[in-house]
C-alpha cells in the first residue's frame, strides 16, 4: 500500500545534539512537507519542497534543515540551534500544483522528539 | 488564504449525526474548503473538500452555503473512533507561482460519547 513512513517514532536527544528524522513516501507525490505540533496546538509548517533539489522555508524554519535529493525522501534535521525542539513532528506529501488535489495532504504517523 | 473560525469543542452522542460548523466569511471565488481530522497522537487525515457544491464521500458530507461564507461537515453516524480534532481549511489551487502551505488552526475537538 502507498503511504508515508516516518522514523523513528520516538526519539530522545541530549541538548546540543543534532538529530535527523526520516520521511519516505511511495505515492509518487511531487511535494513534501514538515510540520511541528506542540501539545494542544495546531500544526506549524517548518519546510516544504515542490520538487527534487528545491525546498522553501515555512513559518518556523530556524534551527531546522532539510534536503530533497530524491523524490521519495525528505529528511529533517533538528539542529542544536533549535531552542525548544521537544515536539511531535509530522511529514506529509501531496500531488503537484494546479489541481485541487494538491491541497490533499497525506501524513505520516509522526515522530515524537524529546530533548532530555 | 481566507481565515476560518471553528468552535473549540463539541460533544456528540454515538450513532447520532455530528454537524461541525466552519465560518469563512472572507473566502474568495477560487478558494476551496478542505476538512481534515487528527486522532490523538496520529497524523492528520484528509476527509473531504469542495468548492461550492455539496460533496459526499464514504467518510462525511460537506455542505457549503450558497454565499460560501460558511460550511458544515456532517458525520452521519458518529462512532467512538470519530473522536478527534477536526480542521477546516480554506485554500486556493496551488500554482507554481503561488505554491504554499496549508495552515492548520486549532480546529474543533469532537468527543463522541457512548
Amino acid at each position: 500500500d502507498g503511504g508515508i513512513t516516518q522514523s523513528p517514532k520516538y526519539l530522545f536527544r541530549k541538548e546540543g545534539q543534532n538529530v535527523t528524522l526520516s520521511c519516505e513516501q511511495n505515492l509518487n507525490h511531487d511535494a513534501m512537507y514538515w510540520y511541528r505540533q506542540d501539545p494542544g496546538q495546531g500544526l506549524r509548517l517548518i519546510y516544504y519542497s515542490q520538487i527534487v533539489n528545491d525546498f522553501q522555508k515555512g513559518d518556523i524554519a530556524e534551527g531546522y534543515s532539510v534536503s530533497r535529493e530524491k523524490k521519495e525522501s525528505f529528511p529533517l534535521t533538528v539542529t542544536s540551534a533549535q531552542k525548544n525542539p521537544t515536539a511531535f513532528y509530522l511529514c506529509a506529501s501531496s500531488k503537484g500544483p494546479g489541481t485541487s488535489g494538491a491541497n490533499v495532504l497525506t501524513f505520516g504517523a509522526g515522530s515524537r522528539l524529546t530533548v532530555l | 488564504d481566507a481565515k476560518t473560525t471553528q468552535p473549540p469543542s463539541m460533544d456528540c452522542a454515538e450513532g447520532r449525526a455530528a454537524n461541525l460548523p466552519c465560518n469563512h466569511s472572507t473566502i474568495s471565488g477560487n478558494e476551496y474548503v478542505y476538512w481534515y481530522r487528527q486522532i490523538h497522537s496520529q497524523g492528520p487525515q484528509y476527509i473531504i473538500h469542495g468548492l461550492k457544491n455539496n460533496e459526499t464521500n464514504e467518510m462525511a458530507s460537506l455542505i457549503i452555503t450558497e454565499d460560501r461564507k460558511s460550511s458544515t461537515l456532517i458525520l452521519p453516524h458518529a462512532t467512538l473512533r470519530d473522536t478527534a480534532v477536526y480542521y477546516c481549511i480554506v485554500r486556493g489551487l496551488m500554482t507554481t507561482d503561488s505554491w504554499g502551505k496549508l495552515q492548520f488552526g486549532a480546529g474543533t475537538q469532537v468527543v463522541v460519547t457512548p
Side-chain angles (χ1 to χ4, degrees):
Chain A
D1 287 339
I4 295 185
T5 301
Q6 288 188 243
S7 62
K9 189 171 179 64
Y10 299 95
L11 183 62
F12 297 90
R13 181 194 105 174
K14 294 182 180 179
E15 281 192 29
Q17 289 181 334
N18 293 353
V19 293
T20 297
L21 307 180
S22 171
C23 178
E24 302 278 335
Q25 56 101 356
N26 61 4
L27 299 165
N28 198 32
H29 282 170
D30 293 310
M32 297 188 73
Y33 312 80
W34 274 104
Y35 287 88
R36 167 183 172 142
Q37 188 173 37
D38 293 289
Q41 305 293 314
L43 281 68
R44 292 185 291 169
L45 185 68
I46 305 172
Y47 269 98
Y48 60 101
S49 168
Q50 300 182 46
I51 196 170
V52 174
N53 292 323
D54 183 63
F55 47 83
Q56 306 295 328
K57 292 182 179 180
D59 300 318
I60 55 166
E62 185 175 353
Y64 300 97
S65 66
V66 293
S67 63
R68 187 87 186 276
E69 297 177 0
K70 298 187 301 181
K71 186 176 184 178
E72 303 79 18
S73 178
F74 192 42
L76 173 75
T77 297
V78 184
T79 75
S80 57
Q82 170 50 234
K83 298 304 180 187
N84 187 20
T86 295
F88 188 46
Y89 290 88
L90 288 156
C91 180
S93 69
S94 72
K95 294 180 180 179
T99 68
S100 63
N103 289 323
V104 177
L105 271 60
T106 300
F107 282 84
S111 292
R112 192 169 298 280
L113 172 63
T114 302
V115 174
L116 303 174
Chain B
D1 298 333
K3 181 180 177 180
T4 62
T5 302
Q6 299 178 253
S9 64
M10 61 183 296
D11 296 334
C12 177
E14 188 178 20
R16 306 293 293 271
N19 298 297
L20 282 62
C22 180
N23 287 319
H24 31 78
S25 58
T26 61
I27 192 170
S28 62
N30 64 351
E31 289 184 316
Y32 288 72
V33 180
Y34 293 81
W35 283 86
Y36 285 77
R37 74 178 183 183
Q38 186 178 22
I39 295 170
H40 183 63
S41 293
Q42 297 183 21
Q45 175 190 25
Y46 163 80
I47 301 173
I48 198 168
H49 74 280
L51 183 62
K52 49 184 163 182
N53 297 323
N54 298 337
E55 302 288 343
T56 295
N57 63 20
E58 65 278 6
M59 291 183 66
S61 295
L62 175 60
I63 308 298
I64 302 174
T65 59
E66 190 169 346
D67 63 8
R68 302 186 71 240
K69 293 185 177 182
S70 66
S71 61
T72 301
L73 180 74
I74 301 173
L75 308 177
H77 305 288
T79 71
L80 299 179
R81 289 176 296 179
D82 291 323
T83 292
V85 177
Y86 287 77
Y87 299 99
C88 171
I89 302 167
V90 171
R91 190 72 169 90
L93 291 182
M94 292 186 184
T95 66
T96 51
D97 293 331
S98 62
W99 188 268
K101 59 255 186 180
L102 291 186
Q103 299 282 10
F104 287 79
T108 297
Q109 172 68 63
V110 173
V111 177
V112 180
T113 56

